[in-house]
Amino acid sequence: MPERENDVDWMVERNEKIITGGSSTRETIGPSERNGKIMAGDSRVREIAFGGARTRGTVGSDAGNEKIMVCGSRARENIVGGSRARENENDAGENNEKFVELALGLGADEAEIFFSSGFGYSISSRGRSIHSKSSSFSGGWGVRVLKKGKLGFSYFIRKPDAEKAASTAISIAKFSPLTPFSFPSAQAYRDASSFDPQIAGLTPDSASQMFAKALRSFPPASKPTECALGWGEGHMALANSNGLHAEERSTSISFYAQAESDGAAGYCSQSSQKIFGLEPIAGRAGSLAVQMRSPAKQEQGKEHVIFERDALHSLISSFLIPALDGDSARRKTTKLHSSLDVQIASPELTLADDPLSEGVDRCAFDGEGIASKPKKLIENGVLANFLFDLRTASLAPKQLRPSPGAASRPGFSSQVSPSPSNTVIAEGKIGNLAGEHASCLRVLSFFGSHTANVFSGDFSVSVDIGFQLRKGETVGAARGFIISGNIFELIKNIEIEKRASLIYDLTSPRIGAELTISA
């Protein structure tokens, strides 16, 4: 990442609170504590995936397991200064080996050191004017030790604090439950490059020019209300006492655009590990705002619904994926805990967790250094696997067939937990879902995912961007109504198109199902 320019408009978070972005309605660009989601956009707080947080604290990794607001109204405290983070990353691999030996010398039976650093920048606008610019830098080490079969964890930011952190982890292990696992041995990794030199080469000036060009790309009948661009570079290195050494660098970029037209709103976003043009995103947001100006009245009752883009992503990531968590299965807090090898969905549905596929969570290894490989979670409608890390796999009963490889580690200060990477839904047999029904709804976006009952699968969400179709043709805009259903019933009667596309960390065709529509 190039050196930050000497611009008084660029605010650097260094051990202080900086509030840079607008209102209390949004948490803008930066990875969150678990699945690396970015909060961007409007008051409903939309989630879009942001680079590689499954294995690493990518852009501005946190020191307290809090969401990082590079530009937003909850800007966090205690960010490590940029110069220290850069010094740390230059010799991360060598330091990791030294710190592993240090922990062993202090009495650990096994030791693991995880280094991560992140450099992140963001720009936001109100109307057609740039409202704020900010940057963040952070870096540090996480320490895990095994002592008599018990796990301890600590972290440190300054190299001189390594011994204290290792001693703390060993002391904590005494009070931890037995966790019968060992850290993995050396692994062979496939190439899963998530580093783009063009993103790493972006300067504040060049990014500002991209951003300004995007602000001029909204259709004439619309005007931008709020936009946000975030980009950054991450570095992680992992080593343990069983001979494992892993290192990876990554980049991320995300853009969110919101437009208004005669009181109607439209928005569009994209996130990637590779550079992309901003103008099509802005143009799409403006076009949707224009199209949503005169929504038709929506009839209540049962209707066929086609999910795409943000709505499809929310449906899968918010309602279905949490039910496939291995730790939840062993604790019996997912409805599917006893459904392994049971037909839970239509035979048309095959869903895999694939960290080697394209998407913002592409990575060569998981947060514990285990080599990435695809894992089918649902195969031809049958529940095939859950997602585990080493600890949860060691604690799960054998009937769950626990196998690690899905460890998530958002930052050096964060504990490890199982989490999905990129989700892939296999293509179906239907050429065009819209042509299968006399009438149906295309839903591009809804809000209210947080109100869903993750255990029962019941959900009720409000559609803000959608379209009515008759005999495959669009007849009008649709918004301001409720869609309700149950995700476990939905996947039993799911319809899947042939053509798949990528949205954030999900590769999937459009999917459809009959759901209840209400005012």
Side-chain angles (χ1 to χ4, degrees), residues 3 14 80-96 99 115-119 137-141 157-160 235 247 249:
E3 292 294 323
R14 293 189 59 154
V80 184
S83 60
R84 181 182 297 161
R86 286 192 175 95
E87 289 171 5
N88 287 345
E89 81 160 3
N90 289 335
D91 52 3
E94 181 181 345
N95 284 328
N96 280 2
F99 296 148
F115 169 81
S116 72
S117 68
F119 308 88
F137 310 90
S138 69
W141 291 266
I157 295 170
R158 298 174 59 252
K159 295 177 190 177
H235 175 209
E247 191 166 0
R249 293 179 182 271

Side-chain angles (χ1 to χ4, degrees), residues 228-510:
L229 170 67
W231 75 100
E233 178 181 344
H235 175 209
M236 64 84 63
L238 180 69
N240 67 34
S241 54
N242 291 328
L244 184 144
H245 300 276
E247 191 166 0
E248 196 167 36
R249 293 179 182 271
S250 62
T251 52
S252 301
I253 185 168
S254 180
F255 180 60
Y256 172 86
Q258 179 174 305
E260 183 268 337
S261 180
D262 291 341
Y267 34 83
C268 189
S269 59
Q270 185 170 335
S271 295
S272 180
Q273 294 175 330
K274 307 295 182 183
I275 197 79
F276 57 82
L278 308 186
E279 296 95 320
I281 311 301
R284 173 73 168 164
S287 295
L288 285 172
V290 173
Q291 291 174 284
M292 297 308 296
R293 285 188 297 192
S294 302
K297 183 178 180 181
Q298 183 59 44
E299 294 183 5
Q300 301 185 50
K302 295 289 186 178
E303 181 63 281
H304 292 279
V305 178
I306 300 171
F307 293 92
E308 57 185 85
R309 287 220 35 104
D310 290 79
L312 175 59
H313 185 270
S314 295
L315 183 78
I316 301 301
S317 64
S318 297
F319 304 155
L320 181 56
I321 295 298
L324 304 175
D325 177 74
D327 199 33
S328 298
R330 79 176 184 88
R331 295 175 183 273
K332 299 182 180 180
T333 56
T334 168
K335 190 175 182 179
L336 301 179
H337 69 88
S338 61
S339 298
L340 209 59
D341 297 326
V342 173
Q343 190 87 33
I344 64 165
S346 164
E348 298 296 314
L349 179 61
T350 293
L351 181 151
D353 181 74
D354 187 359
L356 296 174
S357 68
E358 293 299 320
V360 296
D361 278 331
R362 180 176 169 86
C363 50
F365 47 87
D366 79 342
E368 295 173 311
I370 295 177
S372 292
K373 61 181 180 180
K375 175 184 279 190
K376 288 184 179 179
L377 304 179
I378 301 173
E379 186 171 11
N380 299 325
V382 176
L383 180 61
N385 286 292
F386 292 101
L387 295 170
F388 291 94
D389 60 13
L390 281 166
R391 184 187 67 85
T392 55
S394 73
L395 297 173
K398 291 182 180 180
Q399 58 264 34
L400 291 179
R401 291 200 298 270
S403 62
S408 173
R409 207 161 190 165
F412 64 88
S413 65
S414 302
Q415 288 273 26
V416 174
S417 62
S419 180
S421 61
N422 295 321
T423 301
V424 178
I425 295 179
E427 295 181 346
K429 300 176 181 178
I430 300 173
N432 179 15
L433 282 175
E436 294 292 306
H437 305 286
S439 68
C440 61
L441 285 168
R442 283 178 58 216
V443 175
L444 280 66
S445 174
F446 59 71
F447 59 95
S449 298
H450 63 284
T451 65
N453 186 315
V454 177
F455 184 83
S456 70
D458 292 333
F459 63 87
S460 182
V461 295
S462 181
V463 174
D464 51 356
I465 298 182
F467 296 94
Q468 292 182 338
L469 286 82
R470 298 286 185 272
K471 297 181 180 179
E473 300 295 327
T474 301
V475 295
R479 61 179 169 91
F481 57 92
I482 303 294
I483 290 178
S484 57
N486 181 282
I487 190 63
F488 301 119
E489 293 302 315
L490 184 152
I491 60 175
K492 291 177 182 177
N493 302 287
I494 197 170
E495 298 175 319
I496 306 175
E497 277 191 345
K498 289 182 179 179
R499 299 178 302 277
S501 59
L502 174 65
I503 175 74
Y504 316 134
D505 57 356
L506 172 66
T507 297
S508 175
R510 298 195 306 177

Side-chain angles (χ1 to χ4, degrees), residues 7-35:
D7 184 343
V8 295
D9 290 332
W10 284 86
M11 293 177 274
V12 185
E13 297 173 325
R14 293 189 59 154
N15 297 324
E16 60 182 341
K17 247 184 209 176
I18 297 180
I19 297 180
T20 63
S23 70
S24 60
T25 60
R26 74 199 32 80
E27 302 163 351
T28 315
I29 306 297
S32 74
E33 67 263 14
R34 177 138 181 183
N35 282 332

Side-chain angles (χ1 to χ4, degrees), residues 164-208:
K164 181 180 178 181
S167 296
T168 299
I170 293 170
S171 297
I172 289 172
K174 298 176 184 177
F175 304 99
S176 300
L178 282 172
T179 47
F181 74 91
S182 291
F183 296 129
S185 56
Q187 310 263 315
Y189 302 119
R190 294 173 59 180
D191 179 31
S193 176
S194 56
F195 184 87
D196 185 350
Q198 292 188 74
I199 296 177
L202 278 178
T203 66
D205 270 353
S206 61
S208 293

